[in-house]
Short mmCIF file of all heavy atoms in Angstrom, two decimals:
data_model
loop_
_atom_site.label_atom_id
_atom_site.label_comp_id
_atom_site.label_asym_id
_atom_site.label_seq_id
_atom_site.Cartn_x
_atom_site.Cartn_y
_atom_site.Cartn_z
N ARG A 1 45.77 252.87 155.80
CA ARG A 1 46.80 253.48 156.65
C ARG A 1 48.11 253.60 155.87
O ARG A 1 48.51 252.65 155.19
CB ARG A 1 47.03 252.66 157.91
CG ARG A 1 45.82 252.57 158.83
CD ARG A 1 46.15 251.85 160.11
NE ARG A 1 45.00 251.82 161.03
CZ ARG A 1 45.08 251.60 162.33
NH1 ARG A 1 46.27 251.38 162.89
NH2 ARG A 1 44.00 251.60 163.07
N VAL A 2 48.73 254.75 155.98
CA VAL A 2 50.01 254.97 155.28
C VAL A 2 51.09 255.33 156.29
O VAL A 2 50.80 255.87 157.36
CB VAL A 2 49.88 256.09 154.23
CG1 VAL A 2 48.94 255.65 153.11
CG2 VAL A 2 49.39 257.39 154.83
N ASP A 3 52.30 255.00 155.94
CA ASP A 3 53.44 255.25 156.83
C ASP A 3 53.98 256.66 156.59
O ASP A 3 54.42 256.99 155.49
CB ASP A 3 54.54 254.22 156.57
CG ASP A 3 55.59 254.23 157.67
OD1 ASP A 3 56.14 255.32 157.96
OD2 ASP A 3 55.87 253.17 158.24
N LEU A 4 53.93 257.49 157.62
CA LEU A 4 54.43 258.86 157.57
C LEU A 4 55.48 259.05 158.66
O LEU A 4 55.37 259.92 159.52
CB LEU A 4 53.28 259.85 157.73
CG LEU A 4 52.20 259.80 156.65
CD1 LEU A 4 51.03 260.71 157.01
CD2 LEU A 4 52.78 260.19 155.30
N THR A 5 56.50 258.21 158.62
CA THR A 5 57.54 258.21 159.63
C THR A 5 58.19 259.57 159.85
O THR A 5 58.50 259.94 160.99
CB THR A 5 58.62 257.15 159.30
OG1 THR A 5 58.00 255.87 159.22
CG2 THR A 5 59.70 257.12 160.35
N PRO A 6 58.41 260.39 158.78
CA PRO A 6 59.02 261.71 159.02
C PRO A 6 58.22 262.59 159.98
O PRO A 6 58.77 263.52 160.57
CB PRO A 6 59.06 262.33 157.61
CG PRO A 6 59.12 261.17 156.69
CD PRO A 6 58.26 260.13 157.33
N PHE A 7 56.93 262.29 160.13
CA PHE A 7 56.08 263.06 161.04
C PHE A 7 55.73 262.28 162.30
O PHE A 7 54.85 262.68 163.07
CB PHE A 7 54.80 263.49 160.33
CG PHE A 7 55.03 264.29 159.08
CD1 PHE A 7 54.85 263.71 157.83
CD2 PHE A 7 55.48 265.60 159.14
CE1 PHE A 7 55.07 264.43 156.67
CE2 PHE A 7 55.71 266.33 157.98
CZ PHE A 7 55.51 265.75 156.74
N GLY A 8 56.39 261.15 162.50
CA GLY A 8 56.14 260.34 163.69
C GLY A 8 54.83 259.58 163.64
O GLY A 8 54.28 259.20 164.68
N ILE A 9 54.33 259.31 162.43
CA ILE A 9 53.08 258.57 162.26
C ILE A 9 53.38 257.33 161.43
O ILE A 9 53.88 257.42 160.32
CB ILE A 9 52.02 259.44 161.54
CG1 ILE A 9 51.72 260.70 162.34
CG2 ILE A 9 50.74 258.64 161.30
CD1 ILE A 9 50.92 261.74 161.58
N THR A 10 53.07 256.16 161.97
CA THR A 10 53.30 254.92 161.25
C THR A 10 51.96 254.26 160.92
O THR A 10 50.91 254.64 161.43
CB THR A 10 54.16 253.94 162.07
OG1 THR A 10 53.39 253.45 163.18
CG2 THR A 10 55.41 254.62 162.58
N ASN A 11 52.03 253.23 160.06
CA ASN A 11 50.82 252.53 159.66
C ASN A 11 50.58 251.27 160.48
O ASN A 11 49.82 250.39 160.07
CB ASN A 11 50.87 252.18 158.17
CG ASN A 11 52.07 251.32 157.82
OD1 ASN A 11 52.92 251.04 158.66
ND2 ASN A 11 52.16 250.90 156.57
N LYS A 12 51.22 251.15 161.61
CA LYS A 12 51.06 249.96 162.44
C LYS A 12 49.64 249.90 163.01
O LYS A 12 48.99 250.90 163.26
CB LYS A 12 52.07 249.95 163.60
CG LYS A 12 53.52 250.03 163.14
CD LYS A 12 53.89 248.85 162.25
CE LYS A 12 55.37 248.90 161.86
NZ LYS A 12 55.73 247.82 160.92
N SER A 13 49.19 248.69 163.27
CA SER A 13 47.81 248.49 163.72
C SER A 13 47.54 249.10 165.09
O SER A 13 46.40 249.40 165.42
CB SER A 13 47.49 246.98 163.77
OG SER A 13 48.38 246.32 164.65
N TYR A 14 48.59 249.32 165.87
CA TYR A 14 48.38 249.87 167.21
C TYR A 14 48.50 251.39 167.26
O TYR A 14 48.52 251.99 168.32
CB TYR A 14 49.38 249.24 168.20
CG TYR A 14 50.83 249.34 167.78
CD1 TYR A 14 51.56 250.52 167.94
CD2 TYR A 14 51.46 248.26 167.21
CE1 TYR A 14 52.88 250.61 167.53
CE2 TYR A 14 52.79 248.33 166.80
CZ TYR A 14 53.49 249.51 166.97
OH TYR A 14 54.80 249.59 166.57
N ASN A 15 48.62 252.02 166.09
CA ASN A 15 48.77 253.47 166.06
C ASN A 15 47.48 254.15 166.51
O ASN A 15 46.43 254.00 165.89
CB ASN A 15 49.13 253.93 164.63
CG ASN A 15 49.51 255.39 164.59
OD1 ASN A 15 48.69 256.25 164.81
ND2 ASN A 15 50.78 255.65 164.31
N LYS A 16 47.56 254.92 167.59
CA LYS A 16 46.36 255.51 168.19
C LYS A 16 45.69 256.52 167.29
O LYS A 16 44.46 256.63 167.26
CB LYS A 16 46.72 256.14 169.53
CG LYS A 16 47.07 255.14 170.62
CD LYS A 16 47.34 255.84 171.95
CE LYS A 16 47.67 254.81 173.03
NZ LYS A 16 47.95 255.48 174.35
N ILE A 17 46.48 257.29 166.54
CA ILE A 17 45.88 258.34 165.72
C ILE A 17 45.04 257.73 164.60
O ILE A 17 43.94 258.22 164.29
CB ILE A 17 46.96 259.29 165.16
CG1 ILE A 17 46.30 260.58 164.63
CG2 ILE A 17 47.81 258.65 164.09
CD1 ILE A 17 47.29 261.70 164.38
N TYR A 18 45.50 256.62 164.02
CA TYR A 18 44.71 255.96 162.99
C TYR A 18 43.49 255.26 163.60
O TYR A 18 42.42 255.22 162.98
CB TYR A 18 45.55 254.98 162.20
CG TYR A 18 46.40 255.63 161.13
CD1 TYR A 18 47.74 255.29 160.96
CD2 TYR A 18 45.86 256.58 160.26
CE1 TYR A 18 48.52 255.89 159.97
CE2 TYR A 18 46.63 257.18 159.28
CZ TYR A 18 47.96 256.84 159.14
OH TYR A 18 48.72 257.43 158.16
N ASP A 19 43.64 254.71 164.80
CA ASP A 19 42.48 254.11 165.49
C ASP A 19 41.39 255.16 165.68
O ASP A 19 40.20 254.90 165.44
CB ASP A 19 42.90 253.56 166.86
CG ASP A 19 43.78 252.33 166.76
OD1 ASP A 19 43.80 251.71 165.69
OD2 ASP A 19 44.44 251.99 167.77
N GLU A 20 41.79 256.35 166.09
CA GLU A 20 40.85 257.44 166.31
C GLU A 20 40.16 257.86 165.02
O GLU A 20 38.94 258.07 164.98
CB GLU A 20 41.60 258.63 166.92
CG GLU A 20 40.74 259.86 167.17
CD GLU A 20 41.58 261.02 167.68
OE1 GLU A 20 42.42 260.81 168.58
OE2 GLU A 20 41.40 262.15 167.15
N ILE A 21 40.93 257.97 163.95
CA ILE A 21 40.38 258.39 162.66
C ILE A 21 39.39 257.35 162.13
O ILE A 21 38.29 257.68 161.67
CB ILE A 21 41.50 258.62 161.63
CG1 ILE A 21 42.36 259.81 162.05
CG2 ILE A 21 40.92 258.86 160.24
CD1 ILE A 21 43.66 259.94 161.26
N GLU A 22 39.75 256.09 162.20
CA GLU A 22 38.89 255.04 161.68
C GLU A 22 37.57 254.97 162.44
O GLU A 22 36.51 254.72 161.85
CB GLU A 22 39.61 253.69 161.75
CG GLU A 22 40.73 253.57 160.72
CD GLU A 22 41.54 252.30 160.86
OE1 GLU A 22 41.32 251.56 161.85
OE2 GLU A 22 42.40 252.05 160.00
N GLN A 23 37.62 255.22 163.73
CA GLN A 23 36.39 255.24 164.52
C GLN A 23 35.54 256.46 164.15
O GLN A 23 34.31 256.36 164.00
CB GLN A 23 36.72 255.27 166.02
CG GLN A 23 35.48 255.19 166.90
CD GLN A 23 35.85 255.09 168.38
OE1 GLN A 23 37.01 255.20 168.75
NE2 GLN A 23 34.85 254.88 169.22
N GLU A 24 36.18 257.60 163.98
CA GLU A 24 35.47 258.83 163.65
C GLU A 24 34.81 258.76 162.28
O GLU A 24 33.69 259.25 162.09
CB GLU A 24 36.45 260.00 163.69
CG GLU A 24 35.81 261.37 163.61
CD GLU A 24 36.81 262.48 163.86
OE1 GLU A 24 38.03 262.21 163.89
OE2 GLU A 24 36.38 263.63 164.01
N LEU A 25 35.48 258.12 161.32
CA LEU A 25 34.96 258.03 159.96
C LEU A 25 34.16 256.75 159.72
O LEU A 25 33.67 256.53 158.62
CB LEU A 25 36.10 258.10 158.94
CG LEU A 25 36.54 259.48 158.47
CD1 LEU A 25 36.93 260.39 159.62
CD2 LEU A 25 37.69 259.37 157.47
N ASN A 26 34.04 255.93 160.75
CA ASN A 26 33.28 254.67 160.66
C ASN A 26 33.79 253.80 159.51
O ASN A 26 33.05 253.39 158.62
CB ASN A 26 31.79 254.95 160.48
CG ASN A 26 30.93 253.70 160.64
OD1 ASN A 26 31.30 252.77 161.35
ND2 ASN A 26 29.79 253.68 159.96
N VAL A 27 35.10 253.52 159.54
CA VAL A 27 35.73 252.75 158.47
C VAL A 27 35.36 251.27 158.58
O VAL A 27 35.42 250.67 159.65
CB VAL A 27 37.27 252.92 158.54
CG1 VAL A 27 37.95 251.97 157.56
CG2 VAL A 27 37.64 254.37 158.23
N ASN A 28 34.94 250.70 157.43
CA ASN A 28 34.60 249.28 157.35
C ASN A 28 35.08 248.71 156.03
O ASN A 28 35.20 249.43 155.04
CB ASN A 28 33.08 249.09 157.45
CG ASN A 28 32.52 249.42 158.82
OD1 ASN A 28 32.70 248.66 159.75
ND2 ASN A 28 31.86 250.56 158.93
N SER A 29 35.31 247.41 156.00
CA SER A 29 35.64 246.74 154.75
C SER A 29 34.39 246.60 153.90
O SER A 29 33.27 246.49 154.42
CB SER A 29 36.24 245.36 155.01
OG SER A 29 37.48 245.49 155.69
N VAL A 30 34.58 246.59 152.59
CA VAL A 30 33.43 246.50 151.67
C VAL A 30 32.75 245.14 151.82
O VAL A 30 33.39 244.10 151.67
CB VAL A 30 33.89 246.69 150.22
CG1 VAL A 30 32.70 246.60 149.27
CG2 VAL A 30 34.59 248.03 150.05
N PRO A 31 31.43 245.12 152.10
CA PRO A 31 30.71 243.85 152.17
C PRO A 31 30.65 243.16 150.81
O PRO A 31 30.67 243.82 149.77
CB PRO A 31 29.30 244.26 152.63
CG PRO A 31 29.45 245.64 153.19
CD PRO A 31 30.58 246.27 152.44
#
């Protein structure tokens, strides 16, 4: 997650847009 404050997008854990993207792309930490 990256901070894009000029566009109203932050890297905070509660950011809904990143939550949506991570679910869509099935993001996981490397085993």
